[in-house]
Amino acid sequence: MADSPRPPTPPGGPRGPEPRYGNRPTMKDVAARAGVGLKTVSRVVNGEPGVTPDTERRVQEAIESLGFRRNDSARVLRKGRTASIGLVLEDLADPFYGPLSRAVEEVARAHGALLINGSSAEDPDREQELALALCARRVDGLIVIPAGHDHRYLEPEIKAGIATVFVDRPPGRIDADVVLSDSFGGARAGVAHLIAHGHRRIAFIGDQPRIHTAVERLRGYRVAMEDAGLEIDDSWVALGSTAPERVQKAVTAVLSGPEPVTAIFAGNNRVTVTAVRVLAGQDRRVALVGFDDIELADLLGITVIAQDAATLGRTAAERLFRRLDGANDEPTQVALETVLIPRGSGEIPPSD
Amino acid sequence: MADSPRPPTPPGGPRGPEPRYGNRPTMKDVAARAGVGLKTVSRVVNGEPGVTPDTERRVQEAIESLGFRRNDSARVLRKGRTASIGLVLEDLADPFYGPLSRAVEEVARAHGALLINGSSAEDPDREQELALALCARRVDGLIVIPAGHDHRYLEPEIKAGIATVFVDRPPGRIDADVVLSDSFGGARAGVAHLIAHGHRRIAFIGDQPRIHTAVERLRGYRVAMEDAGLEIDDSWVALGSTAPERVQKAVTAVLSGPEPVTAIFAGNNRVTVTAVRVLAGQDRRVALVGFDDIELADLLGITVIAQDAATLGRTAAERLFRRLDGANDEPTQVALETVLIPRGSGEIPPSD
DNA sequence: CATTGCCCTGACAACGTTGTCCAGGGCCTA
DNA sequence: TAGGCCCTGGACAACGTTGTCAGGGCAATG
């Protein structure tokens, strides 16, 4: 019975941990079965040269009959590369991040790497926990959509060779590659568009002020207003959670104050969706431009500032793999252009 | 200089592979720095008992000053568990799979596991390649949304202890846990709804016939028609790619044949979206019920058969972890109910 | 026929961690 | 004071793979 996959635990002496991988065959078992050396099996499995066709056949047969599959955990330990990258994003369920994630995956796949991803749920602690867990797994590279504002915790990791690229928002207190959309320019153009259609009282409803894109878009709004010589009433600006209830309240408020607005700029896709719902229940026609494109927005006639999530992800991933291939230049900042897509809601004239 | 993190490569003798992890410190280095044994460092890192507070402090200091982080690759090799699960789905960018994936991730997180996911792009070979790559990584468990119809390739893996659960579609030629939505019942109810509103000529436009859900939904359509004693004209049924061009053609065709339909049942979210676009350009009002809910469908008044992607994912993941915790019962089949949400498009009366 | 050189092959160490076992020291008890 | 126990710490092997190196067989060459 010398060729059973694994002898039963020897009576005495140190023993490994209990379950193992259900006693999977190893290269050693394959070698024993095929009557060759361990290294020869390794050579066959990896397609390395220097194996007689006949030997190779015997090894292949042993592999088949035992159902052997190489243990990549061990391989990783030995080689020092995991052929996997990590992606920390905010919420995989958000329709904005799905395409981004998919684009990253495609690039990874083209480089033979797998993708491990996790959602930070906009919580800096959770972002850090996730990113460090990925580093402990020794992912080759890391793509992060920051939730927090201090990424010094990644310094030792980056120094230790884990390539890191930030997307959608810049990192805090650390110098690294970044790929962004032009939030400022996009918001500015969108608000200018409303102004060009005659609006003077325009609201800005956006995400929480600790999120970089929210602040940048607000800045675009302010500058566009200033460019047109328009004063901003504080009651027109609302930053906060994008939970439907909060947005609903904010929209209702800017429509009913002493100086009701005639147009709304929505800071991201979540806000836009709720704003559209609220506006649908209004008698008055209120103009709307939203940041981020949304599925079916064409049918609803929603004017948007579109950013290309897939390109964002692809660009970041390509940057990452360029680093992994040895690129050693200074960290770069890329800002992708946004596109204004007029569909009706942004071209509604002021109602007063 | 006895405590530099790693001595330079010794002059002779075998050497490891080249780059390594940028020379990261190991427990051995930490031990040397703290003046303790290797195992003591391991104990501190893992919070195991049996270490004096003073010793622990010294070790912690060494860890901090060296920037040590445990190498989970090695840990995995030793422990035989990776604390990660794999998810093979069709397309991460599809708004249906985002929430599903996120739900799986949440459950995994609750069990301290990371999620590795990949898209099969509806290609059976790619599904297999991905699933096997995940197995080679020795994920603890696997959740698969099948693209192919033969999953015998997973048999050795399952036998070797990789828990596997299929979601959204049943596996082929293998017995395993499955979590589905009730495609048949949902479609049947949706078509019955149209019939109840007076329709007699109803089209079914669905996904490719090799996809299980497409076939089940078609079956639901057929049975509902039969229940009502209605004949089906072959020209009313179109299965195929969900690419917009194909769907557009199919919709146009069923509206313009010799026996134009007065209502359409759309087989999934992709089909619905395109169908809505086509119908928006028609003079005639055509009723529509779609399988899958869609964001903003409420505003567009689209009647749908809603399935809960998040619950689908959560249920599957919970089932998986129950297996990982040792549950050994027979494979189970779960079918989740669907909900008909009337919003207008499904209540349009026949136009002839 | 002897020698050189190539081609296959396998023995061995090492990757960084954790499980097991043993040794030494301090403290308590008799 | 002696004996025993517990607590702490370390030596060692092992997880499954791959890089290095050395040895044996064989053909070609002088």
Side-chain angles (χ1 to χ4, degrees):
Chain A
M1 296 313 208
D3 67 343
S4 76
R6 187 80 39 75
T9 315
R15 288 185 313 282
E18 334 126 37
R20 314 281 344 133
Y21 313 103
N23 244 4
R24 285 201 86 128
T26 71
M27 284 191 178
K28 201 167 148 190
D29 302 317
V30 174
R33 174 81 159 225
V36 301
L38 180 55
K39 180 63 195 185
T40 300
V41 176
S42 172
R43 274 193 268 262
V44 171
V45 169
N46 293 295
E48 285 171 27
V51 180
T52 324
D54 180 59
T55 308
E56 170 158 3
R57 194 184 41 71
R58 289 218 315 288
V59 172
Q60 286 292 7
E61 279 174 16
I63 288 177
E64 302 263 322
S65 77
L66 290 176
F68 167 82
R69 181 124 26 228
R70 180 179 63 197
N71 185 334
D72 276 350
S73 305
R75 172 168 228 254
V76 154
L77 176 60
R78 187 67 234 264
K79 304 205 72 144
R81 288 252 159 180
T82 56
S84 60
I85 67 173
L87 172 61
V88 179
L89 37 71
E90 189 234 319
D91 181 2
L92 207 42
D94 184 320
F96 178 73
Y97 293 112
L100 191 156
S101 184
R102 175 70 196 270
V104 171
E105 185 203 338
E106 287 301 324
V107 177
R109 181 178 139 85
H111 286 81
L114 286 177
L115 178 64
I116 309 181
N117 46 17
S119 304
S120 68
E122 210 62 270
D123 174 349
D125 292 338
R126 193 161 154 184
E127 174 212 303
Q128 174 168 349
E129 182 195 325
L130 251 171
L132 290 181
L134 292 169
C135 290
R137 295 293 173 103
R138 297 293 189 269
V139 292
D140 297 334
L142 202 52
I143 297 183
V144 180
I145 294 166
H149 287 89
D150 187 348
H151 296 89
R152 282 175 297 178
Y153 71 87
L154 279 175
E155 255 167 9
E157 312 300 327
I158 292 174
K159 207 169 287 171
I162 296 188
T164 305
V165 177
F166 293 85
V167 202
D168 192 42
R169 308 165 185 175
R173 298 164 148 265
I174 202 178
D175 194 25
D177 289 311
V178 200
V179 180
L180 306 170
S181 279
D182 180 13
S183 282
F184 168 75
R188 184 181 182 176
V191 174
H193 183 75
L194 288 167
I195 295 171
H197 280 80
H199 294 276
R200 296 291 170 265
R201 299 197 305 279
I202 304 172
F204 180 94
I205 301 180
D207 211 331
Q208 312 186 48
R210 57 189 181 76
I211 298 177
H212 177 264
T213 50
V215 175
E216 279 296 288
R217 291 168 197 176
L218 176 57
R219 195 165 66 84
Y221 162 81
R222 287 196 189 283
V223 169
M225 294 292 274
E226 196 178 326
D227 286 347
L230 297 174
E231 292 281 333
I232 298 171
D233 189 294
D234 283 349
S235 71
W236 299 343
V237 174
L239 281 98
S241 147
T242 58
E245 313 79 51
R246 209 279 310 186
V247 173
Q248 186 183 352
K249 268 189 208 156
V251 173
T252 312
V254 299
L255 292 179
S256 57
E259 292 252 46
V261 300
T262 61
I264 292 175
F265 189 86
N268 72 17
N269 60 350
R270 302 293 87 203
V271 174
T272 305
V273 168
T274 302
V276 169
R277 291 209 172 99
V278 175
L279 294 184
Q282 295 281 318
D283 299 329
R284 200 149 57 89
R285 295 196 70 208
V286 176
L288 173 73
V289 172
F291 209 110
D292 294 334
D293 202 358
I294 303 177
E295 186 158 71
L296 294 184
D298 54 334
L299 288 177
L300 287 163
I302 307 172
T303 297
V304 298
I305 305 294
Q307 56 174 328
D308 186 344
T311 302
L312 219 46
R314 194 179 333 109
T315 309
E318 281 164 357
R319 183 77 217 152
L320 185 73
F321 280 100
R322 217 167 301 137
R323 289 254 177 244
L324 288 179
D325 289 344
N328 240 332
D329 42 322
E330 289 295 297
T332 60
Q333 287 228 359
V334 179
L336 299 179
E337 287 305 302
T338 57
V339 182
L340 189 151
I341 307 178
R343 290 188 181 125
S345 77
E347 295 73 42
I348 296 172
S351 56
D352 54 359
Chain B
M1 290 322 205
D3 66 342
S4 76
R6 188 80 41 76
T9 316
R15 290 184 312 282
E18 334 127 35
R20 314 272 355 125
Y21 313 103
N23 245 3
R24 286 202 85 129
T26 72
M27 285 191 178
K28 199 167 149 192
D29 302 318
V30 174
R33 173 82 161 223
V36 302
L38 180 55
K39 179 65 194 184
T40 301
V41 176
S42 172
R43 272 194 270 262
V44 171
V45 169
N46 292 296
E48 287 171 24
V51 181
T52 327
D54 181 57
T55 308
E56 170 158 4
R57 196 184 40 73
R58 289 218 316 287
V59 172
Q60 285 292 7
E61 280 174 14
I63 288 177
E64 302 263 323
S65 77
L66 290 176
F68 167 81
R69 181 122 29 226
R70 179 177 65 196
N71 185 334
D72 275 350
S73 305
R75 172 168 228 252
V76 155
L77 176 60
R78 186 69 233 264
K79 302 203 74 142
R81 289 252 160 177
T82 56
S84 59
I85 66 173
L87 172 61
V88 179
L89 36 71
E90 188 235 320
D91 181 1
L92 205 43
D94 185 319
F96 178 73
Y97 293 113
L100 191 155
S101 184
R102 175 67 196 271
V104 171
E105 184 203 339
E106 286 301 324
V107 177
R109 181 177 139 84
H111 285 81
L114 286 176
L115 178 63
I116 309 182
N117 47 17
S119 304
S120 70
E122 209 64 272
D123 173 350
D125 291 337
R126 196 164 152 181
E127 173 210 303
Q128 175 168 348
E129 182 195 325
L130 251 171
L132 290 181
L134 292 169
C135 291
R137 294 292 172 104
R138 297 293 190 269
V139 291
D140 296 335
L142 201 53
I143 298 183
V144 179
I145 294 166
H149 287 90
D150 187 348
H151 295 89
R152 282 175 297 179
Y153 72 87
L154 279 175
E155 255 167 10
E157 313 299 326
I158 292 174
K159 207 167 289 170
I162 296 188
T164 305
V165 176
F166 292 85
V167 201
D168 191 42
R169 308 165 186 174
R173 299 163 147 267
I174 202 178
D175 194 24
D177 289 311
V178 200
V179 181
L180 306 170
S181 278
D182 180 14
S183 282
F184 168 75
R188 183 180 184 176
V191 174
H193 183 75
L194 288 167
I195 294 170
H197 280 80
H199 294 275
R200 296 291 169 267
R201 299 197 306 279
I202 303 173
F204 179 94
I205 301 181
D207 212 329
Q208 313 187 48
R210 58 191 181 75
I211 298 176
H212 177 264
T213 50
V215 175
E216 278 298 286
R217 290 168 199 177
L218 176 57
R219 193 164 67 83
Y221 160 82
R222 288 194 189 284
V223 169
M225 294 293 275
E226 196 177 326
D227 286 346
L230 298 174
E231 292 282 332
I232 298 172
D233 189 292
D234 283 349
S235 71
W236 299 344
V237 175
L239 277 85
S241 148
T242 57
E245 312 79 52
R246 208 280 309 186
V247 174
Q248 185 182 351
K249 268 188 207 154
V251 173
T252 312
V254 299
L255 292 179
S256 56
E259 292 254 43
V261 301
T262 62
I264 293 175
F265 188 86
N268 71 17
N269 59 352
R270 302 293 85 202
V271 175
T272 306
V273 168
T274 302
V276 170
R277 291 212 171 98
V278 175
L279 294 184
Q282 296 279 319
D283 298 329
R284 202 148 56 88
R285 295 197 71 208
V286 177
L288 174 73
V289 172
F291 209 108
D292 293 334
D293 202 358
I294 304 177
E295 184 158 71
L296 293 183
D298 55 335
L299 289 178
L300 287 163
I302 307 172
T303 296
V304 299
I305 306 295
Q307 56 174 327
D308 187 343
T311 302
L312 220 46
R314 193 178 335 107
T315 308
E318 280 164 357
R319 184 77 218 153
L320 185 73
F321 279 100
R322 216 167 302 138
R323 288 257 177 241
L324 289 179
D325 289 345
N328 242 331
D329 41 321
E330 289 294 297
T332 60
Q333 287 227 2
V334 179
L336 300 179
E337 287 305 303
T338 57
V339 181
L340 189 151
I341 307 178
R343 291 192 180 120
S345 77
E347 295 74 40
I348 296 173
S351 56
D352 56 358

